[in-house]
Amino acid sequence: MERRRNLRRAGLALAAGALFLAGCGTPAAEGKDGKGGKGGKDAKADPAASVSASAGASAGASGNASAAPLKPGEVRVGGAVGKPYTLTLADLRKLPQSSAPVKFTSAKGDQEHTYAGVPLYEVLKTAEPRFDQTKKNGQLRGVVAATGGGDYRAVFAWAELDPGFAKSQILLAVSEDGVPFDDAAGPRLVVPQDTKGGRYVSELNQLWVGVVDPVVDGTK
């Protein structure tokens, strides 16, 4: 009888010990709904993780803003400029207008029109091109790439549009023969001095300003 009592007491002691050990291990294993676990409601946030997440979100927002797609009819002016910006036909119509009667040959045959619009030089001057002023006539190292619908592109030397060097002005036309262009189509680049219409860029959407030095000097 005594032996049975001793065995029962030993069994009860072992059971109590197991329950105690299990209870001691619980706080360390609490899930996100518990108070003691790392992921619990009362757990302190990691400052480094918060800053990193904030910086990542800001960088992502900035990247998305700079790569924002153009709306129909918008023209992005950028490249080596101090003040890149975007303009539309409505913006161009508010500026002083020039007109140019032109004759050129195209795939459709001989063309003769009168265009009205804003000199390309004035549009680009507003963006403040960054030419090397330490070089004599540093602007003559400049180039302009005009991109239109269907990724059509034509390139100009800065001297072709700068009135200090060129006799005629390249225009961002807003109308042809008195008929306004559709706002969604954007302006048309008109080059009066050209005898062929290859550089008449329709549905213009980008004007990029750069310099030839990196390419000529082999630094790019």
Side-chain angles (χ1 to χ4, degrees):
M1 182 68 71
E2 187 65 26
R3 184 178 180 182
R4 289 181 180 177
R5 291 178 181 175
N6 290 338
L7 288 174
R8 184 179 296 176
R9 290 173 182 170
L12 291 173
L14 287 172
L19 290 173
F20 177 79
L21 289 174
C24 290
T26 300
E30 283 287 333
K32 64 180 181 179
D33 293 329
K35 295 183 178 181
K38 187 175 181 180
K41 295 180 180 179
D42 293 341
K44 294 183 178 179
D46 184 350
S50 299
V51 172
S52 177
S54 178
S58 298
S62 176
N64 291 337
S66 63
L70 290 170
K71 297 178 182 178
E74 289 185 332
V75 180
R76 179 175 291 139
V77 183
V81 298
K83 294 182 178 180
Y85 70 106
T86 300
L87 58 82
T88 64
L89 273 174
D91 297 324
L92 290 171
R93 293 189 184 107
K94 297 175 184 177
L95 301 175
Q97 303 287 300
S98 297
S99 62
V102 300
K103 293 181 180 182
F104 61 91
T105 302
S106 73
K108 297 179 180 180
D110 293 339
Q111 303 288 319
E112 186 172 351
H113 301 285
T114 298
Y115 289 98
V118 181
L120 175 60
Y121 174 78
E122 296 300 329
V123 171
L124 296 180
K125 187 175 68 173
T126 299
E128 299 182 2
R130 292 175 175 170
F131 298 131
D132 189 348
Q133 300 301 325
T134 66
K135 307 289 187 182
K136 182 178 180 180
N137 288 329
Q139 68 271 37
L140 297 184
R141 301 166 182 250
V143 293
V144 177
T147 305
D151 198 33
Y152 190 86
R153 183 169 292 159
V155 177
F156 302 82
W158 184 262
E160 293 182 85
L161 56 98
D162 189 331
F165 297 93
K167 287 184 178 181
S168 61
Q169 296 187 78
I170 299 173
L171 295 181
L172 261 67
V174 300
S175 68
E176 178 186 75
D177 299 328
V179 180
F181 293 131
D182 185 75
D183 285 347
R188 177 178 300 169
L189 200 65
V190 173
V191 194
Q193 65 264 38
D194 283 8
T195 58
K196 290 189 176 182
R199 296 198 297 177
Y200 280 58
V201 181
S202 299
E203 298 179 7
L204 186 71
N205 56 60
Q206 184 183 60
L207 290 167
W208 177 90
V209 181
V211 293
V212 300
D213 297 58
V215 176
V216 175
D217 297 338
T219 58
K220 186 175 181 180

